[in-house]
PDB file of all heavy atoms in Angstrom:
ATOM      1  N   MET A  24     149.301  75.155 123.370  1.00 68.00           N
ATOM      2  CA  MET A  24     148.985  74.338 122.246  1.00 68.00           C
ATOM      3  C   MET A  24     150.299  73.862 121.669  1.00 68.00           C
ATOM      4  O   MET A  24     151.268  74.573 121.470  1.00 68.00           O
ATOM      5  CB  MET A  24     148.193  75.267 121.232  1.00 68.00           C
ATOM      6  CG  MET A  24     147.720  74.496 120.042  1.00 68.00           C
ATOM      7  SD  MET A  24     148.775  74.967 118.675  1.00 68.00           S
ATOM      8  CE  MET A  24     148.631  73.652 117.537  1.00 68.00           C
ATOM      9  N   GLN A  25     150.291  72.533 121.256  1.00 82.00           N
ATOM     10  CA  GLN A  25     151.484  71.974 120.663  1.00 82.00           C
ATOM     11  C   GLN A  25     151.032  71.446 119.277  1.00 82.00           C
ATOM     12  O   GLN A  25     150.062  70.696 119.222  1.00 82.00           O
ATOM     13  CB  GLN A  25     152.057  70.885 121.479  1.00 82.00           C
ATOM     14  CG  GLN A  25     153.308  70.328 120.985  1.00 82.00           C
ATOM     15  CD  GLN A  25     154.038  69.375 121.970  1.00 82.00           C
ATOM     16  OE1 GLN A  25     153.440  69.181 123.039  1.00 82.00           O
ATOM     17  NE2 GLN A  25     155.072  68.774 121.629  1.00 82.00           N
ATOM     18  N   ALA A  26     151.750  71.771 118.203  1.00 83.00           N
ATOM     19  CA  ALA A  26     151.414  71.240 116.922  1.00 83.00           C
ATOM     20  C   ALA A  26     151.807  69.827 116.678  1.00 83.00           C
ATOM     21  O   ALA A  26     152.825  69.392 117.252  1.00 83.00           O
ATOM     22  CB  ALA A  26     152.053  72.107 115.812  1.00 83.00           C
ATOM     23  N   GLY A  27     151.060  69.084 115.945  1.00 91.00           N
ATOM     24  CA  GLY A  27     151.341  67.746 115.645  1.00 91.00           C
ATOM     25  C   GLY A  27     152.513  67.674 114.675  1.00 91.00           C
ATOM     26  O   GLY A  27     152.746  68.661 113.945  1.00 91.00           O
ATOM     27  N   THR A  28     153.163  66.525 114.562  1.00 94.00           N
ATOM     28  CA  THR A  28     154.280  66.393 113.665  1.00 94.00           C
ATOM     29  C   THR A  28     153.909  66.651 112.214  1.00 94.00           C
ATOM     30  O   THR A  28     154.617  67.469 111.481  1.00 94.00           O
ATOM     31  CB  THR A  28     154.895  64.997 113.758  1.00 94.00           C
ATOM     32  OG1 THR A  28     155.319  64.794 115.075  1.00 94.00           O
ATOM     33  CG2 THR A  28     156.151  64.839 112.956  1.00 94.00           C
ATOM     34  N   ILE A  29     152.847  66.128 111.749  1.00 95.00           N
ATOM     35  CA  ILE A  29     152.433  66.279 110.323  1.00 95.00           C
ATOM     36  C   ILE A  29     152.059  67.697 110.073  1.00 95.00           C
ATOM     37  O   ILE A  29     152.448  68.309 109.022  1.00 95.00           O
ATOM     38  CB  ILE A  29     151.302  65.251 110.001  1.00 95.00           C
ATOM     39  CG1 ILE A  29     151.740  63.778 110.168  1.00 95.00           C
ATOM     40  CG2 ILE A  29     150.822  65.504 108.586  1.00 95.00           C
ATOM     41  CD1 ILE A  29     152.935  63.387 109.359  1.00 95.00           C
ATOM     42  N   ASP A  30     151.308  68.300 111.002  1.00 95.00           N
ATOM     43  CA  ASP A  30     150.923  69.666 110.849  1.00 95.00           C
ATOM     44  C   ASP A  30     152.137  70.610 110.800  1.00 95.00           C
ATOM     45  O   ASP A  30     152.298  71.477 109.879  1.00 95.00           O
ATOM     46  CB  ASP A  30     149.998  70.156 112.006  1.00 95.00           C
ATOM     47  CG  ASP A  30     148.660  69.594 111.953  1.00 95.00           C
ATOM     48  OD1 ASP A  30     148.289  68.982 110.949  1.00 95.00           O
ATOM     49  OD2 ASP A  30     147.914  69.758 112.963  1.00 95.00           O
ATOM     50  N   ALA A  31     153.097  70.382 111.565  1.00 95.00           N
ATOM     51  CA  ALA A  31     154.352  71.134 111.529  1.00 95.00           C
ATOM     52  C   ALA A  31     155.098  71.005 110.268  1.00 95.00           C
ATOM     53  O   ALA A  31     155.640  71.940 109.768  1.00 95.00           O
ATOM     54  CB  ALA A  31     155.250  70.805 112.785  1.00 95.00           C
ATOM     55  N   LEU A  32     155.209  69.776 109.704  1.00 97.00           N
ATOM     56  CA  LEU A  32     155.871  69.512 108.454  1.00 97.00           C
ATOM     57  C   LEU A  32     155.161  70.218 107.339  1.00 97.00           C
ATOM     58  O   LEU A  32     155.822  70.769 106.430  1.00 97.00           O
ATOM     59  CB  LEU A  32     155.997  67.986 108.207  1.00 97.00           C
ATOM     60  CG  LEU A  32     156.929  67.228 109.065  1.00 97.00           C
ATOM     61  CD1 LEU A  32     156.819  65.731 108.859  1.00 97.00           C
ATOM     62  CD2 LEU A  32     158.351  67.637 108.840  1.00 97.00           C
ATOM     63  N   LEU A  33     153.799  70.127 107.260  1.00 97.00           N
ATOM     64  CA  LEU A  33     153.072  70.782 106.259  1.00 97.00           C
ATOM     65  C   LEU A  33     153.235  72.316 106.319  1.00 97.00           C
ATOM     66  O   LEU A  33     153.413  73.003 105.293  1.00 97.00           O
ATOM     67  CB  LEU A  33     151.587  70.445 106.341  1.00 97.00           C
ATOM     68  CG  LEU A  33     151.212  68.963 105.977  1.00 97.00           C
ATOM     69  CD1 LEU A  33     149.747  68.694 106.300  1.00 97.00           C
ATOM     70  CD2 LEU A  33     151.495  68.797 104.559  1.00 97.00           C
ATOM     71  N   ALA A  34     153.161  72.873 107.498  1.00 97.00           N
ATOM     72  CA  ALA A  34     153.401  74.292 107.731  1.00 97.00           C
ATOM     73  C   ALA A  34     154.808  74.674 107.256  1.00 97.00           C
ATOM     74  O   ALA A  34     154.926  75.735 106.560  1.00 97.00           O
ATOM     75  CB  ALA A  34     153.207  74.688 109.107  1.00 97.00           C
ATOM     76  N   GLN A  35     155.804  73.919 107.561  1.00 97.00           N
ATOM     77  CA  GLN A  35     157.181  74.271 107.168  1.00 97.00           C
ATOM     78  C   GLN A  35     157.398  74.214 105.675  1.00 97.00           C
ATOM     79  O   GLN A  35     158.085  75.029 105.163  1.00 97.00           O
ATOM     80  CB  GLN A  35     158.143  73.297 107.876  1.00 97.00           C
ATOM     81  CG  GLN A  35     159.600  73.599 107.535  1.00 97.00           C
ATOM     82  CD  GLN A  35     160.026  75.016 107.842  1.00 97.00           C
ATOM     83  OE1 GLN A  35     159.617  75.629 108.774  1.00 97.00           O
ATOM     84  NE2 GLN A  35     160.917  75.577 107.039  1.00 97.00           N
ATOM     85  N   LEU A  36     156.713  73.252 105.005  1.00 98.00           N
ATOM     86  CA  LEU A  36     156.832  73.124 103.555  1.00 98.00           C
ATOM     87  C   LEU A  36     156.235  74.469 102.959  1.00 98.00           C
ATOM     88  O   LEU A  36     156.823  75.033 102.002  1.00 98.00           O
ATOM     89  CB  LEU A  36     156.113  71.963 103.048  1.00 98.00           C
ATOM     90  CG  LEU A  36     156.819  70.617 103.188  1.00 98.00           C
ATOM     91  CD1 LEU A  36     155.873  69.414 102.866  1.00 98.00           C
ATOM     92  CD2 LEU A  36     158.010  70.595 102.247  1.00 98.00           C
ATOM     93  N   CYS A  37     155.035  74.873 103.465  1.00 98.00           N
ATOM     94  CA  CYS A  37     154.408  76.088 102.861  1.00 98.00           C
ATOM     95  C   CYS A  37     155.323  77.301 103.171  1.00 98.00           C
ATOM     96  O   CYS A  37     155.433  78.138 102.270  1.00 98.00           O
ATOM     97  CB  CYS A  37     153.047  76.291 103.468  1.00 98.00           C
ATOM     98  SG  CYS A  37     151.916  75.048 102.947  1.00 98.00           S
ATOM     99  N   ILE A  38     155.850  77.383 104.278  1.00 98.00           N
ATOM    100  CA  ILE A  38     156.715  78.499 104.620  1.00 98.00           C
ATOM    101  C   ILE A  38     157.968  78.547 103.719  1.00 98.00           C
ATOM    102  O   ILE A  38     158.306  79.602 103.182  1.00 98.00           O
ATOM    103  CB  ILE A  38     157.109  78.526 106.153  1.00 98.00           C
ATOM    104  CG1 ILE A  38     155.884  78.746 107.054  1.00 98.00           C
ATOM    105  CG2 ILE A  38     158.202  79.539 106.428  1.00 98.00           C
ATOM    106  CD1 ILE A  38     156.096  78.437 108.451  1.00 98.00           C
ATOM    107  N   ARG A  39     158.559  77.445 103.607  1.00 98.00           N
ATOM    108  CA  ARG A  39     159.858  77.354 102.842  1.00 98.00           C
ATOM    109  C   ARG A  39     159.700  77.693 101.420  1.00 98.00           C
ATOM    110  O   ARG A  39     160.535  78.232 100.769  1.00 98.00           O
ATOM    111  CB  ARG A  39     160.447  75.964 102.994  1.00 98.00           C
ATOM    112  CG  ARG A  39     161.797  75.853 102.238  1.00 98.00           C
ATOM    113  CD  ARG A  39     162.404  74.519 102.393  1.00 98.00           C
ATOM    114  NE  ARG A  39     163.542  74.085 103.039  1.00 98.00           N
ATOM    115  CZ  ARG A  39     164.579  74.790 103.515  1.00 98.00           C
ATOM    116  NH1 ARG A  39     164.607  76.055 103.463  1.00 98.00           N
ATOM    117  NH2 ARG A  39     165.614  74.271 104.079  1.00 98.00           N
ATOM    118  N   HIS A  40     158.513  77.231 100.869  1.00 98.00           N
ATOM    119  CA  HIS A  40     158.246  77.427  99.378  1.00 98.00           C
ATOM    120  C   HIS A  40     157.352  78.675  99.164  1.00 98.00           C
ATOM    121  O   HIS A  40     156.849  78.767  98.057  1.00 98.00           O
ATOM    122  CB  HIS A  40     157.751  76.141  98.827  1.00 98.00           C
ATOM    123  CG  HIS A  40     158.656  75.037  98.814  1.00 98.00           C
ATOM    124  ND1 HIS A  40     159.789  74.939  97.990  1.00 98.00           N
ATOM    125  CD2 HIS A  40     158.764  73.980  99.638  1.00 98.00           C
ATOM    126  CE1 HIS A  40     160.457  73.843  98.283  1.00 98.00           C
ATOM    127  NE2 HIS A  40     159.806  73.220  99.289  1.00 98.00           N
ATOM    128  N   ASP A  41     157.106  79.446 100.195  1.00 98.00           N
ATOM    129  CA  ASP A  41     156.268  80.657 100.019  1.00 98.00           C
ATOM    130  C   ASP A  41     154.951  80.358  99.464  1.00 98.00           C
ATOM    131  O   ASP A  41     154.473  81.033  98.501  1.00 98.00           O
ATOM    132  CB  ASP A  41     157.044  81.775  99.234  1.00 98.00           C
ATOM    133  CG  ASP A  41     156.421  83.142  99.456  1.00 98.00           C
ATOM    134  OD1 ASP A  41     155.912  83.360 100.508  1.00 98.00           O
ATOM    135  OD2 ASP A  41     156.486  83.922  98.461  1.00 98.00           O
ATOM    136  N   LEU A  42     154.254  79.396 100.060  1.00 98.00           N
ATOM    137  CA  LEU A  42     152.951  78.955  99.608  1.00 98.00           C
ATOM    138  C   LEU A  42     151.893  79.380 100.625  1.00 98.00           C
ATOM    139  O   LEU A  42     152.207  79.483 101.820  1.00 98.00           O
ATOM    140  CB  LEU A  42     152.852  77.451  99.433  1.00 98.00           C
ATOM    141  CG  LEU A  42     153.860  76.789  98.404  1.00 98.00           C
ATOM    142  CD1 LEU A  42     153.844  75.301  98.514  1.00 98.00           C
ATOM    143  CD2 LEU A  42     153.553  77.283  97.020  1.00 98.00           C
ATOM    144  N   VAL A  43     150.706  79.598 100.125  1.00 98.00           N
ATOM    145  CA  VAL A  43     149.563  79.804 101.095  1.00 98.00           C
ATOM    146  C   VAL A  43     148.839  78.544 101.333  1.00 98.00           C
ATOM    147  O   VAL A  43     148.548  77.906 100.388  1.00 98.00           O
ATOM    148  CB  VAL A  43     148.596  80.875 100.419  1.00 98.00           C
ATOM    149  CG1 VAL A  43     147.449  81.133 101.376  1.00 98.00           C
ATOM    150  CG2 VAL A  43     149.320  82.184 100.134  1.00 98.00           C
ATOM    151  N   MET A  44     148.605  78.212 102.558  1.00 97.00           N
ATOM    152  CA  MET A  44     147.963  76.997 102.901  1.00 97.00           C
ATOM    153  C   MET A  44     146.447  77.239 103.000  1.00 97.00           C
ATOM    154  O   MET A  44     145.964  78.072 103.683  1.00 97.00           O
ATOM    155  CB  MET A  44     148.431  76.415 104.265  1.00 97.00           C
ATOM    156  CG  MET A  44     147.767  75.154 104.772  1.00 97.00           C
ATOM    157  SD  MET A  44     148.337  74.569 106.314  1.00 97.00           S
ATOM    158  CE  MET A  44     149.854  73.802 105.756  1.00 97.00           C
ATOM    159  N   LEU A  45     145.692  76.400 102.282  1.00 96.00           N
ATOM    160  CA  LEU A  45     144.253  76.385 102.347  1.00 96.00           C
ATOM    161  C   LEU A  45     143.812  75.375 103.349  1.00 96.00           C
ATOM    162  O   LEU A  45     144.233  74.173 103.361  1.00 96.00           O
ATOM    163  CB  LEU A  45     143.671  76.007 101.008  1.00 96.00           C
ATOM    164  CG  LEU A  45     142.110  75.742 100.929  1.00 96.00           C
ATOM    165  CD1 LEU A  45     141.384  77.007 101.308  1.00 96.00           C
ATOM    166  CD2 LEU A  45     141.759  75.333  99.535  1.00 96.00           C
ATOM    167  N   THR A  46     143.085  75.804 104.400  1.00 93.00           N
ATOM    168  CA  THR A  46     142.755  74.855 105.492  1.00 93.00           C
ATOM    169  C   THR A  46     141.473  75.244 106.226  1.00 93.00           C
ATOM    170  O   THR A  46     141.065  76.379 106.115  1.00 93.00           O
ATOM    171  CB  THR A  46     143.913  74.813 106.519  1.00 93.00           C
ATOM    172  OG1 THR A  46     143.621  73.812 107.512  1.00 93.00           O
ATOM    173  CG2 THR A  46     144.080  76.146 107.260  1.00 93.00           C
ATOM    174  N   THR A  47     140.911  74.257 106.855  1.00 91.00           N
ATOM    175  CA  THR A  47     139.827  74.430 107.768  1.00 91.00           C
ATOM    176  C   THR A  47     140.182  74.036 109.123  1.00 91.00           C
ATOM    177  O   THR A  47     139.403  74.198 110.029  1.00 91.00           O
ATOM    178  CB  THR A  47     138.493  73.656 107.265  1.00 91.00           C
ATOM    179  OG1 THR A  47     138.843  72.238 107.269  1.00 91.00           O
ATOM    180  CG2 THR A  47     138.023  74.074 105.941  1.00 91.00           C
ATOM    181  N   ASP A  48     141.383  73.546 109.276  1.00 89.00           N
ATOM    182  CA  ASP A  48     141.959  73.078 110.535  1.00 89.00           C
ATOM    183  C   ASP A  48     142.439  74.284 111.386  1.00 89.00           C
ATOM    184  O   ASP A  48     143.345  75.010 110.958  1.00 89.00           O
ATOM    185  CB  ASP A  48     143.101  72.137 110.322  1.00 89.00           C
ATOM    186  CG  ASP A  48     143.671  71.465 111.464  1.00 89.00           C
ATOM    187  OD1 ASP A  48     143.349  71.923 112.614  1.00 89.00           O
ATOM    188  OD2 ASP A  48     144.284  70.424 111.331  1.00 89.00           O
ATOM    189  N   ARG A  49     141.844  74.481 112.547  1.00 88.00           N
ATOM    190  CA  ARG A  49     142.232  75.628 113.392  1.00 88.00           C
ATOM    191  C   ARG A  49     143.610  75.560 113.968  1.00 88.00           C
ATOM    192  O   ARG A  49     144.168  76.498 114.545  1.00 88.00           O
ATOM    193  CB  ARG A  49     141.176  75.766 114.523  1.00 88.00           C
ATOM    194  CG  ARG A  49     139.858  76.249 113.924  1.00 88.00           C
ATOM    195  CD  ARG A  49     138.888  76.580 115.005  1.00 88.00           C
ATOM    196  NE  ARG A  49     137.595  77.004 114.444  1.00 88.00           N
ATOM    197  CZ  ARG A  49     136.489  76.860 115.064  1.00 88.00           C
ATOM    198  NH1 ARG A  49     136.454  76.417 116.274  1.00 88.00           N
ATOM    199  NH2 ARG A  49     135.417  77.196 114.418  1.00 88.00           N
ATOM    200  N   ASP A  50     144.208  74.347 113.997  1.00 89.00           N
ATOM    201  CA  ASP A  50     145.565  74.136 114.526  1.00 89.00           C
ATOM    202  C   ASP A  50     146.482  75.017 113.701  1.00 89.00           C
ATOM    203  O   ASP A  50     147.518  75.600 114.279  1.00 89.00           O
ATOM    204  CB  ASP A  50     146.019  72.690 114.516  1.00 89.00           C
ATOM    205  CG  ASP A  50     145.301  71.798 115.479  1.00 89.00           C
ATOM    206  OD1 ASP A  50     144.689  72.344 116.452  1.00 89.00           O
ATOM    207  OD2 ASP A  50     145.265  70.549 115.267  1.00 89.00           O
ATOM    208  N   PHE A  51     146.269  75.225 112.432  1.00 94.00           N
ATOM    209  CA  PHE A  51     147.278  75.988 111.669  1.00 94.00           C
ATOM    210  C   PHE A  51     147.150  77.474 111.949  1.00 94.00           C
ATOM    211  O   PHE A  51     148.112  78.260 111.792  1.00 94.00           O
ATOM    212  CB  PHE A  51     146.974  75.787 110.167  1.00 94.00           C
ATOM    213  CG  PHE A  51     147.457  74.428 109.693  1.00 94.00           C
ATOM    214  CD1 PHE A  51     146.484  73.394 109.394  1.00 94.00           C
ATOM    215  CD2 PHE A  51     148.778  74.038 109.675  1.00 94.00           C
ATOM    216  CE1 PHE A  51     146.882  72.184 109.040  1.00 94.00           C
ATOM    217  CE2 PHE A  51     149.177  72.824 109.286  1.00 94.00           C
ATOM    218  CZ  PHE A  51     148.227  71.858 108.934  1.00 94.00           C
ATOM    219  N   SER A  52     145.986  77.946 112.464  1.00 92.00           N
ATOM    220  CA  SER A  52     145.852  79.312 112.894  1.00 92.00           C
ATOM    221  C   SER A  52     146.808  79.590 114.046  1.00 92.00           C
ATOM    222  O   SER A  52     147.382  80.735 114.129  1.00 92.00           O
ATOM    223  CB  SER A  52     144.418  79.572 113.363  1.00 92.00           C
ATOM    224  OG  SER A  52     143.531  79.456 112.281  1.00 92.00           O
ATOM    225  N   HIS A  53     146.955  78.699 114.976  1.00 92.00           N
ATOM    226  CA  HIS A  53     147.848  78.818 116.098  1.00 92.00           C
ATOM    227  C   HIS A  53     149.330  78.826 115.572  1.00 92.00           C
ATOM    228  O   HIS A  53     150.170  79.638 116.073  1.00 92.00           O
ATOM    229  CB  HIS A  53     147.698  77.707 117.071  1.00 92.00           C
ATOM    230  CG  HIS A  53     146.395  77.657 117.742  1.00 92.00           C
ATOM    231  ND1 HIS A  53     146.009  78.611 118.588  1.00 92.00           N
ATOM    232  CD2 HIS A  53     145.352  76.771 117.605  1.00 92.00           C
ATOM    233  CE1 HIS A  53     144.723  78.343 119.031  1.00 92.00           C
ATOM    234  NE2 HIS A  53     144.335  77.225 118.444  1.00 92.00           N
ATOM    235  N   ILE A  54     149.632  78.033 114.591  1.00 94.00           N
ATOM    236  CA  ILE A  54     151.022  78.027 114.025  1.00 94.00           C
ATOM    237  C   ILE A  54     151.234  79.324 113.364  1.00 94.00           C
ATOM    238  O   ILE A  54     152.333  79.949 113.491  1.00 94.00           O
ATOM    239  CB  ILE A  54     151.171  76.844 113.047  1.00 94.00           C
ATOM    240  CG1 ILE A  54     151.124  75.492 113.813  1.00 94.00           C
ATOM    241  CG2 ILE A  54     152.550  76.976 112.353  1.00 94.00           C
ATOM    242  CD1 ILE A  54     151.034  74.321 112.835  1.00 94.00           C
ATOM    243  N   ALA A  55     150.248  79.846 112.616  1.00 95.00           N
ATOM    244  CA  ALA A  55     150.392  81.078 111.837  1.00 95.00           C
ATOM    245  C   ALA A  55     150.615  82.243 112.800  1.00 95.00           C
ATOM    246  O   ALA A  55     151.190  83.325 112.431  1.00 95.00           O
ATOM    247  CB  ALA A  55     149.177  81.374 110.952  1.00 95.00           C
ATOM    248  N   GLU A  56     150.133  82.270 114.056  1.00 95.00           N
ATOM    249  CA  GLU A  56     150.343  83.308 114.951  1.00 95.00           C
ATOM    250  C   GLU A  56     151.870  83.515 115.362  1.00 95.00           C
ATOM    251  O   GLU A  56     152.267  84.628 115.579  1.00 95.00           O
ATOM    252  CB  GLU A  56     149.616  83.095 116.346  1.00 95.00           C
ATOM    253  CG  GLU A  56     148.170  83.243 116.176  1.00 95.00           C
ATOM    254  CD  GLU A  56     147.374  82.925 117.465  1.00 95.00           C
ATOM    255  OE1 GLU A  56     148.106  83.034 118.541  1.00 95.00           O
ATOM    256  OE2 GLU A  56     146.256  82.595 117.485  1.00 95.00           O
ATOM    257  N   TRP A  57     152.616  82.433 115.206  1.00 94.00           N
ATOM    258  CA  TRP A  57     154.004  82.463 115.680  1.00 94.00           C
ATOM    259  C   TRP A  57     155.017  82.349 114.605  1.00 94.00           C
ATOM    260  O   TRP A  57     156.272  82.306 114.840  1.00 94.00           O
ATOM    261  CB  TRP A  57     154.259  81.397 116.726  1.00 94.00           C
ATOM    262  CG  TRP A  57     153.418  81.578 117.943  1.00 94.00           C
ATOM    263  CD1 TRP A  57     152.230  81.009 118.225  1.00 94.00           C
ATOM    264  CD2 TRP A  57     153.679  82.497 119.024  1.00 94.00           C
ATOM    265  NE1 TRP A  57     151.729  81.463 119.456  1.00 94.00           N
ATOM    266  CE2 TRP A  57     152.593  82.399 119.916  1.00 94.00           C
ATOM    267  CE3 TRP A  57     154.665  83.390 119.277  1.00 94.00           C
ATOM    268  CZ2 TRP A  57     152.553  83.097 121.054  1.00 94.00           C
ATOM    269  CZ3 TRP A  57     154.606  84.116 120.501  1.00 94.00           C
ATOM    270  CH2 TRP A  57     153.593  83.986 121.350  1.00 94.00           C
ATOM    271  N   THR A  58     154.620  82.056 113.363  1.00 96.00           N
ATOM    272  CA  THR A  58     155.439  81.884 112.199  1.00 96.00           C
ATOM    273  C   THR A  58     154.953  82.733 111.022  1.00 96.00           C
ATOM    274  O   THR A  58     153.880  83.139 111.031  1.00 96.00           O
ATOM    275  CB  THR A  58     155.466  80.391 111.786  1.00 96.00           C
ATOM    276  OG1 THR A  58     154.132  79.999 111.300  1.00 96.00           O
ATOM    277  CG2 THR A  58     155.790  79.452 112.926  1.00 96.00           C
ATOM    278  N   PRO A  59     155.731  82.748 109.966  1.00 97.00           N
ATOM    279  CA  PRO A  59     155.273  83.448 108.757  1.00 97.00           C
ATOM    280  C   PRO A  59     154.329  82.649 107.882  1.00 97.00           C
ATOM    281  O   PRO A  59     154.120  83.043 106.706  1.00 97.00           O
ATOM    282  CB  PRO A  59     156.595  83.781 107.989  1.00 97.00           C
ATOM    283  CG  PRO A  59     157.545  82.860 108.492  1.00 97.00           C
ATOM    284  CD  PRO A  59     157.153  82.415 109.864  1.00 97.00           C
ATOM    285  N   LEU A  60     153.691  81.606 108.445  1.00 97.00           N
ATOM    286  CA  LEU A  60     152.780  80.857 107.593  1.00 97.00           C
ATOM    287  C   LEU A  60     151.634  81.619 107.159  1.00 97.00           C
ATOM    288  O   LEU A  60     150.978  82.357 107.974  1.00 97.00           O
ATOM    289  CB  LEU A  60     152.261  79.691 108.467  1.00 97.00           C
ATOM    290  CG  LEU A  60     151.209  78.721 107.823  1.00 97.00           C
ATOM    291  CD1 LEU A  60     151.826  78.017 106.627  1.00 97.00           C
ATOM    292  CD2 LEU A  60     150.639  77.697 108.815  1.00 97.00           C
ATOM    293  N   GLN A  61     151.312  81.592 105.848  1.00 97.00           N
ATOM    294  CA  GLN A  61     150.151  82.342 105.240  1.00 97.00           C
ATOM    295  C   GLN A  61     148.978  81.401 105.123  1.00 97.00           C
ATOM    296  O   GLN A  61     149.156  80.360 104.555  1.00 97.00           O
ATOM    297  CB  GLN A  61     150.587  82.884 103.911  1.00 97.00           C
ATOM    298  CG  GLN A  61     151.751  83.820 103.908  1.00 97.00           C
ATOM    299  CD  GLN A  61     152.100  84.174 102.601  1.00 97.00           C
ATOM    300  OE1 GLN A  61     151.351  84.770 101.792  1.00 97.00           O
ATOM    301  NE2 GLN A  61     153.378  83.881 102.199  1.00 97.00           N
ATOM    302  N   LEU A  62     147.839  81.815 105.620  1.00 97.00           N
ATOM    303  CA  LEU A  62     146.645  80.908 105.521  1.00 97.00           C
ATOM    304  C   LEU A  62     145.564  81.511 104.692  1.00 97.00           C
ATOM    305  O   LEU A  62     145.352  82.733 104.682  1.00 97.00           O
ATOM    306  CB  LEU A  62     146.090  80.720 106.902  1.00 97.00           C
ATOM    307  CG  LEU A  62     146.905  79.929 107.938  1.00 97.00           C
ATOM    308  CD1 LEU A  62     146.240  79.806 109.272  1.00 97.00           C
ATOM    309  CD2 LEU A  62     147.280  78.550 107.454  1.00 97.00           C
ATOM    310  N   TRP A  63     144.866  80.677 104.040  1.00 96.00           N
ATOM    311  CA  TRP A  63     143.625  81.048 103.331  1.00 96.00           C
ATOM    312  C   TRP A  63     142.587  80.126 104.052  1.00 96.00           C
ATOM    313  O   TRP A  63     142.552  78.910 103.760  1.00 96.00           O
ATOM    314  CB  TRP A  63     143.693  80.776 101.879  1.00 96.00           C
ATOM    315  CG  TRP A  63     142.426  81.166 101.118  1.00 96.00           C
ATOM    316  CD1 TRP A  63     141.450  81.988 101.542  1.00 96.00           C
ATOM    317  CD2 TRP A  63     142.095  80.815  99.753  1.00 96.00           C
ATOM    318  NE1 TRP A  63     140.412  82.036 100.589  1.00 96.00           N
ATOM    319  CE2 TRP A  63     140.894  81.348  99.495  1.00 96.00           C
ATOM    320  CE3 TRP A  63     142.738  79.986  98.792  1.00 96.00           C
ATOM    321  CZ2 TRP A  63     140.236  81.162  98.247  1.00 96.00           C
ATOM    322  CZ3 TRP A  63     142.150  79.779  97.651  1.00 96.00           C
ATOM    323  CH2 TRP A  63     140.920  80.397  97.369  1.00 96.00           C
ATOM    324  N   ARG A  64     141.730  80.629 104.864  1.00 84.00           N
ATOM    325  CA  ARG A  64     140.819  79.923 105.603  1.00 84.00           C
ATOM    326  C   ARG A  64     139.547  79.603 104.806  1.00 84.00           C
ATOM    327  O   ARG A  64     138.827  80.514 104.456  1.00 84.00           O
ATOM    328  CB  ARG A  64     140.469  80.519 106.991  1.00 84.00           C
ATOM    329  CG  ARG A  64     141.716  80.611 107.858  1.00 84.00           C
ATOM    330  CD  ARG A  64     141.413  81.377 109.096  1.00 84.00           C
ATOM    331  NE  ARG A  64     142.581  81.424 109.912  1.00 84.00           N
ATOM    332  CZ  ARG A  64     143.468  82.498 109.800  1.00 84.00           C
ATOM    333  NH1 ARG A  64     143.339  83.399 108.925  1.00 84.00           N
ATOM    334  NH2 ARG A  64     144.483  82.512 110.521  1.00 84.00           N
ATOM    335  N   ALA A  65     139.183  78.353 104.527  1.00 74.00           N
ATOM    336  CA  ALA A  65     137.940  77.966 103.910  1.00 74.00           C
ATOM    337  C   ALA A  65     136.891  77.821 104.904  1.00 74.00           C
ATOM    338  O   ALA A  65     137.135  77.449 106.043  1.00 74.00           O
ATOM    339  CB  ALA A  65     138.153  76.663 103.205  1.00 74.00           C
ATOM    340  N   SER A  66     135.721  78.338 104.487  1.00 67.00           N
ATOM    341  CA  SER A  66     134.613  78.245 105.460  1.00 67.00           C
ATOM    342  C   SER A  66     133.957  76.941 105.520  1.00 67.00           C
ATOM    343  O   SER A  66     133.896  76.176 104.655  1.00 67.00           O
ATOM    344  CB  SER A  66     133.510  79.277 105.027  1.00 67.00           C
ATOM    345  OG  SER A  66     133.960  80.385 104.446  1.00 67.00           O
TER     346      SER A  66
END
């Protein structure tokens, strides 16, 4: 799986500023497996 450019930039902003990302997009789950990205998954 390869993250899109916009997804990667959004994830990096959240990581850098220690923010939790609210998302329903499963692509971010893959990013969070390999990075310190914190997710709050909306149903």
Side-chain angles (χ1 to χ4, degrees):
M24 183 255 156
Q25 186 173 359
T28 303
I29 300 301
D30 289 351
L32 288 171
L33 290 171
Q35 180 58 34
L36 281 170
C37 289
I38 292 167
R39 182 181 250 340
H40 296 284
D41 198 29
L42 300 172
V43 177
M44 179 178 282
L45 172 63
T46 185
T47 58
D48 188 341
R49 292 187 181 156
D50 290 342
F51 290 109
S52 296
H53 297 291
I54 296 171
E56 288 179 25
W57 298 98
T58 66
L60 178 63
Q61 301 173 61
L62 296 179
W63 181 17
R64 292 175 186 89
S66 329

